Short mmCIF file of all heavy atoms in Angstrom, two decimals:
data_model
loop_
_atom_site.label_atom_id
_atom_site.label_comp_id
_atom_site.label_asym_id
_atom_site.label_seq_id
_atom_site.Cartn_x
_atom_site.Cartn_y
_atom_site.Cartn_z
N ASP A 1 16.99 1.97 -1.09
CA ASP A 1 15.51 1.70 -0.96
C ASP A 1 15.31 0.30 -0.55
O ASP A 1 15.94 -0.72 -1.07
CB ASP A 1 14.91 1.97 -2.24
CG ASP A 1 15.00 3.41 -2.72
OD1 ASP A 1 15.46 4.37 -1.91
OD2 ASP A 1 14.84 3.68 -3.90
N LEU A 2 14.39 0.09 0.30
CA LEU A 2 13.88 -1.24 0.68
C LEU A 2 12.39 -1.37 0.45
O LEU A 2 11.62 -0.52 0.79
CB LEU A 2 14.11 -1.53 2.28
CG LEU A 2 15.54 -1.50 2.79
CD1 LEU A 2 15.42 -1.64 4.34
CD2 LEU A 2 16.31 -2.62 2.26
N PHE A 3 12.13 -2.61 -0.13
CA PHE A 3 10.71 -2.93 -0.46
C PHE A 3 10.45 -4.12 0.45
O PHE A 3 11.03 -5.23 0.11
CB PHE A 3 10.43 -3.13 -1.91
CG PHE A 3 10.56 -1.85 -2.76
CD1 PHE A 3 11.75 -1.47 -3.29
CD2 PHE A 3 9.48 -1.01 -2.95
CE1 PHE A 3 11.87 -0.26 -4.04
CE2 PHE A 3 9.57 0.19 -3.56
CZ PHE A 3 10.82 0.52 -4.18
N LEU A 4 9.52 -4.05 1.40
CA LEU A 4 9.19 -5.23 2.10
C LEU A 4 7.92 -5.82 1.87
O LEU A 4 6.89 -5.13 1.71
CB LEU A 4 9.21 -4.72 3.66
CG LEU A 4 10.40 -3.96 4.19
CD1 LEU A 4 10.19 -3.37 5.56
CD2 LEU A 4 11.63 -4.82 4.08
N GLU A 5 7.95 -7.11 1.64
CA GLU A 5 6.70 -7.79 1.28
C GLU A 5 6.34 -9.01 2.17
O GLU A 5 5.30 -9.47 2.06
CB GLU A 5 6.90 -8.32 -0.22
CG GLU A 5 7.17 -7.22 -1.14
CD GLU A 5 7.34 -7.71 -2.58
OE1 GLU A 5 6.47 -8.40 -3.17
OE2 GLU A 5 8.43 -7.54 -3.15
N ALA A 6 7.27 -9.39 3.07
CA ALA A 6 7.08 -10.51 3.95
C ALA A 6 5.87 -10.18 4.81
O ALA A 6 5.76 -9.09 5.36
CB ALA A 6 8.31 -10.79 4.71
N GLU A 7 5.06 -11.16 5.11
CA GLU A 7 3.94 -10.99 5.91
C GLU A 7 4.26 -10.46 7.39
O GLU A 7 3.57 -9.59 7.87
CB GLU A 7 3.07 -12.33 6.10
CG GLU A 7 1.78 -12.21 6.76
CD GLU A 7 0.78 -11.27 6.02
OE1 GLU A 7 0.74 -11.35 4.82
OE2 GLU A 7 0.11 -10.60 6.78
N ALA A 8 5.27 -10.90 7.93
CA ALA A 8 5.76 -10.47 9.21
C ALA A 8 6.12 -8.96 9.14
O ALA A 8 5.72 -8.22 10.05
CB ALA A 8 6.96 -11.26 9.68
N ASP A 9 6.75 -8.55 8.16
CA ASP A 9 7.12 -7.08 8.04
C ASP A 9 5.91 -6.26 7.80
O ASP A 9 5.81 -5.15 8.35
CB ASP A 9 8.14 -6.93 6.78
CG ASP A 9 9.47 -7.44 7.05
OD1 ASP A 9 9.96 -7.62 8.20
OD2 ASP A 9 10.02 -7.88 6.04
N LEU A 10 4.99 -6.76 6.97
CA LEU A 10 3.69 -5.99 6.72
C LEU A 10 2.98 -5.79 7.95
O LEU A 10 2.35 -4.75 8.26
CB LEU A 10 2.97 -6.72 5.66
CG LEU A 10 3.49 -6.69 4.22
CD1 LEU A 10 2.65 -7.62 3.34
CD2 LEU A 10 3.68 -5.36 3.69
N SER A 11 2.91 -6.91 8.78
CA SER A 11 2.15 -6.85 10.02
C SER A 11 2.76 -5.87 11.02
O SER A 11 2.05 -5.10 11.61
CB SER A 11 2.19 -8.20 10.63
OG SER A 11 1.49 -8.20 11.90
N ILE A 12 4.12 -5.77 11.16
CA ILE A 12 4.81 -4.79 11.98
C ILE A 12 4.42 -3.46 11.52
O ILE A 12 4.08 -2.51 12.34
CB ILE A 12 6.26 -5.06 11.96
CG1 ILE A 12 6.59 -6.36 12.71
CG2 ILE A 12 7.01 -3.85 12.67
CD1 ILE A 12 7.93 -6.83 12.54
N TYR A 13 4.52 -3.10 10.29
CA TYR A 13 4.33 -1.80 9.77
C TYR A 13 2.86 -1.35 9.76
O TYR A 13 2.51 -0.17 10.08
CB TYR A 13 4.96 -1.55 8.36
CG TYR A 13 6.49 -1.35 8.43
CD1 TYR A 13 7.34 -2.29 8.42
CD2 TYR A 13 6.93 0.00 8.61
CE1 TYR A 13 8.72 -2.08 8.38
CE2 TYR A 13 8.25 0.32 8.70
CZ TYR A 13 9.12 -0.88 8.62
OH TYR A 13 10.53 -0.49 8.79
N ALA A 14 1.96 -2.29 9.50
CA ALA A 14 0.58 -2.02 9.61
C ALA A 14 0.20 -1.70 11.13
O ALA A 14 -0.63 -0.72 11.33
CB ALA A 14 -0.27 -3.14 9.16
N SER A 15 0.75 -2.44 12.03
CA SER A 15 0.53 -2.11 13.50
C SER A 15 1.11 -0.81 13.80
O SER A 15 0.44 0.02 14.57
CB SER A 15 1.02 -3.23 14.26
OG SER A 15 0.93 -2.95 15.65
N MET A 16 2.26 -0.43 13.36
CA MET A 16 2.87 0.81 13.70
C MET A 16 2.04 2.01 13.10
O MET A 16 1.79 2.96 13.81
CB MET A 16 4.37 0.83 13.07
CG MET A 16 5.10 2.11 13.45
SD MET A 16 6.75 2.44 12.78
CE MET A 16 7.39 0.81 12.44
N PHE A 17 1.64 1.77 11.84
CA PHE A 17 0.77 2.87 11.19
C PHE A 17 -0.46 3.10 12.05
O PHE A 17 -0.84 4.26 12.33
CB PHE A 17 0.49 2.54 9.82
CG PHE A 17 -0.25 3.66 9.10
CD1 PHE A 17 0.48 4.76 8.77
CD2 PHE A 17 -1.46 3.50 8.58
CE1 PHE A 17 -0.08 5.84 8.09
CE2 PHE A 17 -2.11 4.48 7.90
CZ PHE A 17 -1.42 5.67 7.66
N ASP A 18 -1.11 2.00 12.47
CA ASP A 18 -2.38 2.21 13.31
C ASP A 18 -2.00 2.93 14.58
O ASP A 18 -2.86 3.75 15.11
CB ASP A 18 -2.94 0.86 13.68
CG ASP A 18 -3.66 0.15 12.41
OD1 ASP A 18 -3.96 0.89 11.45
OD2 ASP A 18 -3.81 -1.06 12.43
N HIS A 19 -0.90 2.56 15.21
CA HIS A 19 -0.62 3.20 16.47
C HIS A 19 -0.26 4.75 16.20
O HIS A 19 -0.66 5.60 17.04
CB HIS A 19 0.74 2.51 17.13
CG HIS A 19 1.16 3.18 18.36
ND1 HIS A 19 0.56 2.91 19.59
CD2 HIS A 19 2.14 4.03 18.63
CE1 HIS A 19 1.19 3.63 20.53
NE2 HIS A 19 2.16 4.33 19.96
N LEU A 20 0.33 5.01 15.13
CA LEU A 20 0.74 6.44 14.82
C LEU A 20 -0.55 7.22 14.58
O LEU A 20 -0.71 8.34 15.06
CB LEU A 20 1.75 6.56 13.70
CG LEU A 20 3.01 5.89 13.93
CD1 LEU A 20 3.89 5.95 12.63
CD2 LEU A 20 3.81 6.71 14.90
N ARG A 21 -1.60 6.61 13.84
CA ARG A 21 -2.79 7.27 13.61
C ARG A 21 -3.49 7.58 14.88
O ARG A 21 -4.13 8.67 15.05
CB ARG A 21 -3.73 6.48 12.62
CG ARG A 21 -3.20 6.40 11.36
CD ARG A 21 -4.25 5.83 10.35
NE ARG A 21 -4.44 4.33 10.69
CZ ARG A 21 -5.22 3.54 9.88
NH1 ARG A 21 -5.77 4.01 8.78
NH2 ARG A 21 -5.32 2.35 10.23
N ALA A 22 -3.39 6.62 15.77
CA ALA A 22 -4.12 6.78 17.11
C ALA A 22 -3.60 7.90 17.96
O ALA A 22 -4.35 8.58 18.71
CB ALA A 22 -4.12 5.45 17.88
N ILE A 23 -2.26 8.12 17.98
CA ILE A 23 -1.63 9.08 18.82
C ILE A 23 -1.55 10.53 18.14
O ILE A 23 -1.32 11.52 18.92
CB ILE A 23 -0.25 8.67 19.33
CG1 ILE A 23 0.82 8.57 18.19
CG2 ILE A 23 -0.39 7.32 20.18
CD1 ILE A 23 2.22 8.37 18.75
N ALA A 24 -1.70 10.61 16.87
CA ALA A 24 -1.68 11.84 16.24
C ALA A 24 -2.87 12.70 16.42
O ALA A 24 -3.98 12.12 16.77
CB ALA A 24 -1.51 11.60 14.68
N LEU A 25 -2.78 13.91 16.26
CA LEU A 25 -3.89 14.90 16.22
C LEU A 25 -4.92 14.38 15.08
O LEU A 25 -4.44 13.94 14.12
CB LEU A 25 -3.44 16.29 15.98
CG LEU A 25 -2.52 17.08 16.97
CD1 LEU A 25 -2.22 18.37 16.47
CD2 LEU A 25 -3.20 17.03 18.33
N SER A 26 -6.12 14.73 15.38
CA SER A 26 -7.18 14.54 14.38
C SER A 26 -6.85 15.39 13.18
O SER A 26 -6.08 16.44 13.34
CB SER A 26 -8.63 14.82 14.92
OG SER A 26 -8.64 16.30 15.09
N PRO A 27 -7.45 15.10 12.00
CA PRO A 27 -7.20 15.95 10.85
C PRO A 27 -7.61 17.37 11.10
O PRO A 27 -6.96 18.36 10.72
CB PRO A 27 -8.02 15.31 9.72
CG PRO A 27 -8.01 13.84 10.09
CD PRO A 27 -8.12 13.85 11.63
N ALA A 28 -8.80 17.66 11.82
CA ALA A 28 -9.17 19.03 12.04
C ALA A 28 -8.20 19.71 12.99
O ALA A 28 -7.85 20.95 12.78
CB ALA A 28 -10.50 19.01 12.76
#
């Protein structure tokens, strides 16, 4: 298990999550 807390890591994963939400189907 990895727990990432560095600001650079958080920024990368937050951006990735936003991208994934944008390309995924809507909840409906």
Side-chain angles (χ1 to χ4, degrees):
D1 301 339
L2 296 175
F3 292 92
L4 307 174
E5 302 177 62
E7 190 61 40
D9 293 330
L10 294 174
S11 178
I12 289 168
Y13 278 92
S15 178
M16 184 185 331
F17 188 65
D18 287 343
H19 181 78
L20 296 173
R21 288 191 294 188
I23 66 169
L25 294 177
S26 69

